[in-house]
Amino acid sequence: MTVGFIGLGRMGGNMCRNAIAKCGQEVLVYDLIDDAVEACVKVGGRAVSSVGELVAAADVIFTSLPKPENVEEIALGAEGIAALAKPGTVYIDLTTSSPELARRIAATLKEKGIEMLDAPVSGGPSGAEAGTLGVMVGGDEGVFAAHKQLIETFAGNVIHVGPIGSGLVVKLVNNLLGLVTVAAASEGLVLAKAAGVDPRKLDAAIRVSTGDSLAYRSLADRALSGDYTAAFALDLAYKDIHLALELADEVSVPTPMAAGTHNLMRMARGLGYGQEDPTAVVRVYETTQQLTIAEGA
Amino acid sequence: MTVGFIGLGRMGGNMCRNAIAKCGQEVLVYDLIDDAVEACVKVGGRAVSSVGELVAAADVIFTSLPKPENVEEIALGAEGIAALAKPGTVYIDLTTSSPELARRIAATLKEKGIEMLDAPVSGGPSGAEAGTLGVMVGGDEGVFAAHKQLIETFAGNVIHVGPIGSGLVVKLVNNLLGLVTVAAASEGLVLAKAAGVDPRKLDAAIRVSTGDSLAYRSLADRALSGDYTAAFALDLAYKDIHLALELADEVSVPTPMAAGTHNLMRMARGLGYGQEDPTAVVRVYETTQQLTIAEGA
Amino acid sequence: MTVGFIGLGRMGGNMCRNAIAKCGQEVLVYDLIDDAVEACVKVGGRAVSSVGELVAAADVIFTSLPKPENVEEIALGAEGIAALAKPGTVYIDLTTSSPELARRIAATLKEKGIEMLDAPVSGGPSGAEAGTLGVMVGGDEGVFAAHKQLIETFAGNVIHVGPIGSGLVVKLVNNLLGLVTVAAASEGLVLAKAAGVDPRKLDAAIRVSTGDSLAYRSLADRALSGDYTAAFALDLAYKDIHLALELADEVSVPTPMAAGTHNLMRMARGLGYGQEDPTAVVRVYETTQQLTIAEGA
Amino acid sequence: MTVGFIGLGRMGGNMCRNAIAKCGQEVLVYDLIDDAVEACVKVGGRAVSSVGELVAAADVIFTSLPKPENVEEIALGAEGIAALAKPGTVYIDLTTSSPELARRIAATLKEKGIEMLDAPVSGGPSGAEAGTLGVMVGGDEGVFAAHKQLIETFAGNVIHVGPIGSGLVVKLVNNLLGLVTVAAASEGLVLAKAAGVDPRKLDAAIRVSTGDSLAYRSLADRALSGDYTAAFALDLAYKDIHLALELADEVSVPTPMAAGTHNLMRMARGLGYGQEDPTAVVRVYETTQQLTIAEGA
């Protein structure tokens, strides 16, 4: 069996190197950036000269790409999977993309005898490097069962959540939850500080109370230190919440909490924080209220 | 030393009985409901015939009351603490009330030589019974230090968070965080179900992902079972978020996430869910989208 | 008959002078600021030395005050109407205040044989000067009918809208409508400018289309000129929308549109625009998006 | 000169018949529905057998279509304008569509020597019939000037608002303003009724106050009568606000007021009011608060 990996960035590169180390198969690698390819070749990957060459040769193709547009191009473009992959190939997309697009691609590939799984990941570049990512998988259960072990070469928690597109729905809802909680924690910290409470004392109390959560902590750690260095940029999180809202639009479900967060993220982008950590939404509140959580905290 | 306890309901009664069992002091008890008094007398409390009698006799007075109005009455009313307690008395309010009211009462009591701590609790009736409540305390550090052990007779986690009113600010922010997360989880579950994903599979994935939290779980447990039996009524949680918004108004801090949740809670009340669990906000989404998370999940 | 007027500011002073000129009765006047009193005395008003003196002597008492707290003090305070006015007096409050407070005051006054009308006004200082204000009146229909002509000495459009408190409910809803429209127009103008459309061309089209309204025009005039000089300060409009939200809270009606506007106004206040025109909410959008509608428009 | 008209529904059919009556040119007509074609042929239009035949023969092509997807098909599809129209043709799209799509189509057509104007209309089927529609036009000023008179054969108020796409931006902002105002008026009426005020009295007062507007009246007329018979369906208005939000997303401008309205419209659709008038958003508030504005008003 030959494995192919397209998209070797901060997420894809780490996943690919873990797969190379553990899957015991030949792994073909492709990326537009030479250094990204080189880093995978060094640990045993084999570079190919084009997407077309990779998709024609691989039995299982993974993609880890920035945006749905990139997925559409690799899956349905002139040199892509639908055009050049052989029947029996399995396509596993690790990108946080659109469920609607996943269903559309899967339907097209099915006609060519190609199965698809949508398998977005959770856990960030550090989880990708450690091989501990969570993966939410949508698609045929048999195909999932047959490839679970392969996915586990680079992930710690691989769950099947339903038919094609379901992995993405779950991922988008998970991110929506995290981002709304970050926005709520932002207004909570600014509210407490404006009401005369030391943010560090608030934080100590929240961490042992019912308001605690991973998302709360990610915000509080950054707001209290004032360091919004991004592992994952606000601009990318904005894409994620946009996809969640697009999904809500398709099924016409009201999402006032997600919409409120979306608007705060646009304000954060407008203020120039798009390349900082997503938790920089707190800086919108800090800016309008002219205070700083970290300062003198 | 004599301890007094006013307000012996689901929260106050449990706290009082733990105090009686562990504090080694005489505990005077008062409530408008005879059965509530009787339950404390049975385990060693001593009933008094009026609020005035209790506040005049006790060295430390605890109150655990439904609403800020009740606190104002006991603290500042004709038969209350300011009127009848002796200098040197310490007043510890366990109610989730308004920080502004706490500051106002404390200032009045100070003139009479009476110290006050605001000490709202977190953990629900079960935590009150088990003696494991979290308590966020505002007020003078010396007074706090002198009474921490007494509070620990009925609580597990007693934290000083700043000057008078700070305990309430922290409590209100903690509850705001929890309720916003419940609203976000509500729209997430309904969105996923409308998009064709089995809520139980979504739930299994969220619980091992970054979107997980205590608040998420409290919502998911109820939405998946369809059982919104309240340990704590939505109408009371609505009072809490109202207090948080009132605080935001005083200090003019924007709180779009809390406001969005507040509106959903009004819809839930309008639909008749005020006596159910606060997580019944999900039923607003279920009602307008004409689906049920629990059904066939 | 003797008329009394308490509160002679930008609104009250103009109304009072119109009443003096047209009502043909003695008009007693009171304000804390000497110049305000003097301006009314000059045109025929008679100054009194205290609120108590005025309320004891007048048959009809008007108040036009900044805030509900001031109304409560004049109506129910030690030197106020309930304490010192004679049975048969009619009290007409022109302040934008709380319907709940109006009902409470009216009930107290009723016991003393004093009738009350709540009669908030619409039209600003220029309308007050021109005598063209709209007045929405709540209270007994007979009392209204008997005093309509007197109110018309300083107003152009005097409407009875229901029992006590109704005038205030209608006024608060009217202002809510105007402020939400201003917020919507703010985001519309910024959206169009960011999308490359000249705000002046947008404006020309909106003014002849279905999106046109008085509130839209008040925003567009200021945003296009960049001149937010206030006839009426954003801080006062903030008080009005706060009263509307407090009312919504009492009757537990969801008001997401008003809440969204309220939050934008808090941001505007945080950014330092509280003393500018209420339409300065557009500056929140301008600030976060780093553009200016007026500039180069 | 030959004029072509594609899309002869409630809007397009009326515009087309006015054009036939007044433009003095041959008008080719096309629609998928025979009756719609027949109604235009009766007054002098000439039916063609396909889109391709029309676009190849016409010098000026108008389209009035339900959705952006339809516009894309007619403009860029295999049988469409880019494929078959001759150089020198002018394409005028009357559909409320996406500015981004308009720019994309215009760029493609430009390469073929075809000019495009985006010219969305305002005023509803009655305005289309009366020939009094407002038209907001984007595109080259010379092309606009040369075709203004032709557009005026079916419209009363034709304004040039900027380069290609600008007409749509202005239209979307206009509709955003109207729909937000409808939502605000909805919550205002329900709030007043819940606070004990007769909606008819509120309405009489608002119509002579600063809260008045066309959008307010469209809501109030329907809410007071309880008759939501649609001239224009809520589902179509939902498409419009979706397009406005999509535009906001492209330029990353926060639109909390539009987003709030969008969510209420989703609730209205979920409750089954998609085919009623867009003002049926008030029924969301009526449903959750269990009251009816019209009833006993």
Side-chain angles (χ1 to χ4, degrees):
Chain A
M1 188 181 81
T2 301
V3 173
F5 231 103
I6 300 172
L8 309 171
R10 296 177 81 176
M11 296 301 296
N14 280 318
M15 290 190 275
C16 180
R17 284 185 290 276
N18 275 313
I20 290 168
K22 298 189 205 153
C23 78
Q25 311 286 340
E26 182 176 53
V27 180
L28 309 180
V29 298
Y30 182 82
D31 196 284
L32 290 171
I33 295 169
D34 289 343
D35 285 359
V37 173
E38 190 50 36
C40 290
V41 168
K42 252 187 206 156
V43 296
R46 186 156 72 78
V48 294
S49 60
S50 71
V51 166
E53 187 187 337
L54 186 147
V55 304
D59 301 298
V60 179
I61 303 165
F62 288 100
T63 51
S64 175
L65 300 163
K67 293 189 170 181
E69 299 89 283
N70 309 116
V71 174
E72 187 163 12
E73 176 65 21
I74 299 289
L76 304 179
E79 235 211 331
I81 298 170
L84 302 177
K86 50 188 182 290
T89 301
V90 170
Y91 170 39
I92 304 177
D93 181 25
L94 306 163
T95 310
T96 297
S97 170
S98 143
E100 184 273 329
L101 175 62
R103 287 188 202 111
R104 192 149 49 85
I105 293 172
T108 302
L109 296 182
K110 192 120 203 163
E111 290 169 19
K112 314 271 179 174
I114 300 167
E115 288 286 343
M116 175 176 176
L117 301 175
D118 59 302
V121 303
S122 169
S126 61
E129 197 175 348
T132 58
L133 292 170
V135 189
M136 296 120 169
V137 187
D140 181 83
E141 279 210 70
V143 176
F144 168 74
H147 294 81
K148 186 171 183 230
Q149 219 176 334
L150 175 58
I151 299 172
E152 285 171 344
T153 61
F154 56 81
N157 205 340
V158 184
I159 308 180
H160 185 256
V161 293
I164 187 72
S166 299
L168 286 164
V169 170
V170 171
K171 176 73 196 302
L172 294 179
V173 167
N174 181 66
N175 286 20
L176 179 163
L177 263 166
L179 289 168
V180 170
T181 305
V182 163
S186 297
E187 80 188 33
L189 258 79
V190 171
L191 174 54
K193 172 132 188 180
V197 172
D198 179 341
R200 290 190 191 286
K201 292 195 171 169
L202 173 84
D203 183 57
I206 297 287
R207 280 175 198 248
V208 295
S209 300
T210 52
D212 189 32
S213 66
L214 287 173
Y216 164 77
R217 291 183 181 211
S218 81
L219 179 277
D221 286 344
R222 285 173 182 82
L224 287 167
S225 67
D227 179 0
Y228 296 93
T229 310
F232 176 71
L234 190 146
D235 280 343
L236 287 173
Y238 179 75
K239 183 207 72 169
D240 288 0
I241 205 159
H242 169 77
L243 288 169
L245 288 167
E246 213 171 64
L247 175 65
D249 224 51
E250 280 164 37
V251 294
S252 195
V253 166
T255 47
M257 307 313 294
T261 303
H262 190 219
N263 280 313
L264 290 166
M265 292 178 83
R266 286 168 172 174
M267 289 184 170
R269 283 157 56 90
L271 288 167
Y273 303 132
Q275 288 305 308
E276 299 199 352
D277 192 82
T279 55
V281 292
V282 72
R283 299 182 75 169
V284 174
Y285 293 90
E286 289 186 333
T287 300
T288 63
Q289 301 319 106
Q290 304 191 31
L291 58 78
T292 308
I293 295 298
E295 191 179 56
Chain B
M1 187 181 80
T2 303
V3 172
F5 232 104
I6 301 171
L8 309 169
R10 297 178 78 178
M11 295 301 297
N14 280 318
M15 290 191 276
C16 180
R17 286 185 288 278
N18 276 314
I20 292 167
K22 297 188 207 156
C23 77
Q25 314 286 342
E26 182 176 54
V27 179
L28 309 180
V29 298
Y30 182 81
D31 196 283
L32 292 171
I33 296 168
D34 289 342
D35 285 0
V37 173
E38 190 50 37
C40 290
V41 168
K42 250 185 209 159
V43 297
R46 184 156 73 78
V48 295
S49 61
S50 70
V51 165
E53 187 187 339
L54 186 146
V55 305
D59 301 298
V60 180
I61 304 164
F62 287 99
T63 52
S64 173
L65 301 162
K67 291 191 173 181
E69 299 88 284
N70 310 116
V71 174
E72 188 163 12
E73 176 64 22
I74 300 290
L76 305 180
E79 233 211 334
I81 298 170
L84 302 177
K86 53 187 181 289
T89 303
V90 170
Y91 170 38
I92 304 176
D93 181 25
L94 305 163
T95 311
T96 297
S97 171
S98 143
E100 185 273 328
L101 176 62
R103 287 189 202 112
R104 191 148 49 85
I105 293 172
T108 301
L109 295 183
K110 190 118 203 165
E111 290 170 18
K112 314 269 179 176
I114 300 168
E115 288 285 342
M116 173 177 180
L117 301 175
D118 58 304
V121 305
S122 168
S126 62
E129 197 175 350
T132 59
L133 290 170
V135 189
M136 294 122 172
V137 187
D140 181 84
E141 279 210 71
V143 177
F144 168 74
H147 295 81
K148 189 173 181 227
Q149 218 175 333
L150 175 59
I151 300 172
E152 284 171 344
T153 61
F154 56 82
N157 203 340
V158 184
I159 307 181
H160 185 256
V161 293
I164 186 74
S166 300
L168 286 163
V169 170
V170 172
K171 176 74 195 304
L172 295 179
V173 167
N174 183 66
N175 286 20
L176 179 163
L177 263 166
L179 289 168
V180 170
T181 305
V182 163
S186 297
E187 78 188 34
L189 259 80
V190 172
L191 174 55
K193 174 132 185 180
V197 172
D198 179 341
R200 290 189 192 286
K201 291 194 172 170
L202 173 85
D203 183 57
I206 297 286
R207 279 175 198 248
V208 294
S209 300
T210 52
D212 189 33
S213 66
L214 287 172
Y216 164 77
R217 290 184 182 212
S218 79
L219 178 277
D221 286 345
R222 288 174 180 80
L224 287 166
S225 68
D227 179 0
Y228 296 92
T229 311
F232 176 71
L234 191 144
D235 279 344
L236 287 174
Y238 178 75
K239 183 208 72 170
D240 288 359
I241 205 159
H242 170 76
L243 288 170
L245 287 166
E246 213 171 63
L247 174 65
D249 224 50
E250 280 164 37
V251 295
S252 194
V253 166
T255 48
M257 307 312 295
T261 304
H262 191 219
N263 280 312
L264 289 165
M265 291 178 85
R266 287 168 172 174
M267 290 184 168
R269 282 157 56 91
L271 289 167
Y273 302 132
Q275 290 304 308
E276 300 200 350
D277 191 81
T279 55
V281 292
V282 71
R283 299 182 76 168
V284 175
Y285 293 90
E286 288 186 334
T287 300
T288 63
Q289 302 318 108
Q290 304 190 31
L291 58 79
T292 308
I293 295 296
E295 190 180 54
Chain C
M1 187 182 78
T2 301
V3 173
F5 231 104
I6 300 170
L8 309 171
R10 297 178 78 176
M11 296 302 295
N14 280 318
M15 290 190 277
C16 181
R17 285 185 289 276
N18 276 314
I20 291 168
K22 298 188 206 156
C23 78
Q25 312 286 340
E26 183 174 52
V27 179
L28 308 181
V29 298
Y30 183 82
D31 196 283
L32 291 171
I33 295 169
D34 289 343
D35 285 359
V37 173
E38 190 50 35
C40 291
V41 168
K42 252 186 207 157
V43 296
R46 186 156 72 79
V48 294
S49 59
S50 70
V51 166
E53 187 187 338
L54 187 148
V55 304
D59 301 298
V60 179
I61 303 164
F62 287 99
T63 50
S64 174
L65 300 163
K67 293 189 172 181
E69 298 89 284
N70 310 115
V71 174
E72 188 163 13
E73 175 65 23
I74 299 290
L76 305 179
E79 234 212 332
I81 297 171
L84 302 178
K86 51 188 183 290
T89 301
V90 171
Y91 170 39
I92 304 177
D93 181 26
L94 305 163
T95 311
T96 298
S97 170
S98 143
E100 184 271 331
L101 175 62
R103 287 189 202 109
R104 192 147 50 83
I105 292 172
T108 302
L109 296 183
K110 191 118 202 163
E111 290 169 18
K112 315 270 178 175
I114 300 167
E115 288 285 341
M116 174 177 177
L117 301 175
D118 58 304
V121 304
S122 168
S126 62
E129 197 176 348
T132 58
L133 291 170
V135 189
M136 297 120 170
V137 187
D140 181 82
E141 278 210 70
V143 177
F144 169 74
H147 294 81
K148 188 171 182 231
Q149 217 175 334
L150 175 58
I151 300 171
E152 284 171 343
T153 61
F154 57 81
N157 204 343
V158 183
I159 307 181
H160 185 255
V161 294
I164 187 72
S166 299
L168 286 164
V169 170
V170 171
K171 176 74 196 304
L172 295 179
V173 167
N174 181 66
N175 285 20
L176 179 163
L177 263 166
L179 289 168
V180 170
T181 305
V182 162
S186 297
E187 80 188 33
L189 258 80
V190 171
L191 174 55
K193 172 130 187 180
V197 171
D198 179 341
R200 291 190 191 285
K201 292 194 173 170
L202 173 86
D203 183 57
I206 297 286
R207 280 176 198 247
V208 295
S209 299
T210 51
D212 189 33
S213 66
L214 287 173
Y216 165 77
R217 290 183 183 214
S218 80
L219 179 278
D221 286 345
R222 285 173 183 81
L224 288 166
S225 68
D227 179 1
Y228 296 92
T229 310
F232 176 72
L234 191 144
D235 279 345
L236 287 174
Y238 179 75
K239 182 207 71 170
D240 288 1
I241 205 158
H242 170 76
L243 288 169
L245 288 166
E246 213 172 64
L247 175 65
D249 225 52
E250 279 164 37
V251 294
S252 195
V253 165
T255 47
M257 308 311 296
T261 303
H262 191 219
N263 279 313
L264 289 166
M265 292 178 84
R266 286 169 173 175
M267 288 185 170
R269 282 156 57 90
L271 289 167
Y273 304 131
Q275 288 305 308
E276 300 199 352
D277 192 82
T279 55
V281 292
V282 70
R283 299 183 75 168
V284 174
Y285 294 90
E286 288 185 333
T287 300
T288 63
Q289 302 320 105
Q290 304 190 29
L291 58 78
T292 309
I293 296 296
E295 190 179 54
Chain D
M1 187 181 79
T2 302
V3 172
F5 231 104
I6 300 171
L8 309 170
R10 297 178 79 176
M11 295 301 296
N14 279 319
M15 291 190 274
C16 180
R17 285 185 288 278
N18 276 315
I20 292 168
K22 297 189 206 155
C23 77
Q25 313 285 341
E26 182 175 54
V27 179
L28 309 181
V29 297
Y30 182 82
D31 196 283
L32 292 171
I33 295 167
D34 289 343
D35 285 358
V37 173
E38 190 49 38
C40 290
V41 167
K42 253 187 206 157
V43 297
R46 185 155 73 77
V48 295
S49 60
S50 71
V51 166
E53 188 187 337
L54 187 148
V55 304
D59 301 299
V60 179
I61 304 164
F62 288 99
T63 51
S64 174
L65 300 162
K67 291 190 172 181
E69 300 88 283
N70 310 116
V71 173
E72 188 163 12
E73 176 65 22
I74 299 291
L76 305 179
E79 235 211 331
I81 297 170
L84 302 177
K86 52 186 182 288
T89 302
V90 170
Y91 170 41
I92 303 176
D93 181 25
L94 305 162
T95 311
T96 297
S97 171
S98 143
E100 184 273 329
L101 176 62
R103 287 189 202 110
R104 193 149 48 84
I105 293 173
T108 302
L109 295 182
K110 191 118 202 165
E111 289 169 17
K112 315 269 180 177
I114 301 168
E115 288 285 342
M116 173 175 179
L117 300 175
D118 58 303
V121 304
S122 169
S126 61
E129 196 174 350
T132 59
L133 291 169
V135 189
M136 294 120 172
V137 187
D140 181 83
E141 280 211 69
V143 176
F144 169 74
H147 294 82
K148 188 174 182 225
Q149 218 176 333
L150 175 58
I151 299 171
E152 284 171 344
T153 60
F154 56 82
N157 203 343
V158 184
I159 306 181
H160 185 256
V161 294
I164 186 74
S166 300
L168 286 163
V169 170
V170 171
K171 177 75 196 304
L172 295 178
V173 167
N174 182 66
N175 285 20
L176 178 163
L177 263 166
L179 289 167
V180 170
T181 305
V182 163
S186 297
E187 79 188 35
L189 259 80
V190 172
L191 174 55
K193 173 133 187 178
V197 172
D198 180 341
R200 291 189 191 285
K201 292 195 171 168
L202 173 85
D203 183 57
I206 296 286
R207 280 176 198 247
V208 295
S209 299
T210 51
D212 188 33
S213 66
L214 288 172
Y216 165 77
R217 290 182 182 214
S218 79
L219 179 274
D221 286 344
R222 286 173 181 82
L224 288 166
S225 67
D227 179 0
Y228 296 93
T229 311
F232 175 73
L234 191 145
D235 280 344
L236 287 173
Y238 178 74
K239 183 208 73 170
D240 288 359
I241 204 159
H242 170 76
L243 288 170
L245 287 166
E246 214 172 62
L247 175 64
D249 224 50
E250 280 165 37
V251 294
S252 194
V253 166
T255 49
M257 308 312 295
T261 304
H262 190 218
N263 280 313
L264 289 165
M265 293 178 83
R266 286 168 173 174
M267 289 185 169
R269 283 156 56 91
L271 289 166
Y273 303 132
Q275 288 305 308
E276 300 200 351
D277 191 81
T279 55
V281 291
V282 71
R283 300 182 75 169
V284 175
Y285 293 90
E286 288 186 334
T287 300
T288 62
Q289 301 319 107
Q290 304 190 33
L291 58 78
T292 308
I293 295 297
E295 190 181 56

